[in-house]
Amino acid sequence: MGLLVVATFVAVAEIGAKRVAPGSDESGGRYEAVVGTLGDIARTPAVWAISFVGITVLVGGSILLGVGSFGIPEGLAGTLVTVAYLAVGLLLVGFVFLGAYFATRSRGLGNAHGVAAGTLATGAAFLVLVTVQLVVGVIG
């Protein structure tokens, strides 16, 4: 949430900036520099590998601490398992949303179309989950 607030303030600060045509020699400002740097970082395979290992260790460690008998209080053990479930759920929701978003964007449509497709896909997956829960009872 903090990164979202910072990105919002950076974007709002750059709204009034003078727009330049692509290919001109004028600088795009701090916003373009930040977006370019973050884009370069996100396109680095080492960052993806480290993130994957970190998330795997976090989820696996919290599950092991939650279900193992390592001498931690029962309330904390249940909380760790819940945190692991939430992390996996957020990852799945993120994959569904971003998969639909980027599939839409790669077909030449705009950001609004991508967000609409991601929201529709996420909502459809949620409705399928609710239906399966009501019919079969897979959760809890």
Side-chain angles (χ1 to χ4, degrees), residues 62 65-66 72-82:
S62 64
L65 286 174
I72 60 173
E74 288 183 26
L76 181 61
T79 303
L80 288 173
V81 172
T82 303

Side-chain angles (χ1 to χ4, degrees), residues 71-106:
I72 60 173
E74 288 183 26
L76 181 61
T79 303
L80 288 173
V81 172
T82 303
V83 166
Y85 287 155
L86 287 174
V88 170
L90 284 174
L91 284 173
L92 290 174
V93 168
F95 286 140
V96 169
F97 181 86
L98 290 175
Y101 174 81
F102 286 120
T104 304
R105 293 282 295 154
S106 70

Side-chain angles (χ1 to χ4, degrees), residues 46-60:
V47 171
W48 285 96
I50 292 169
S51 299
F52 174 76
V53 169
I55 290 170
T56 304
V57 168
L58 176 74
V59 171

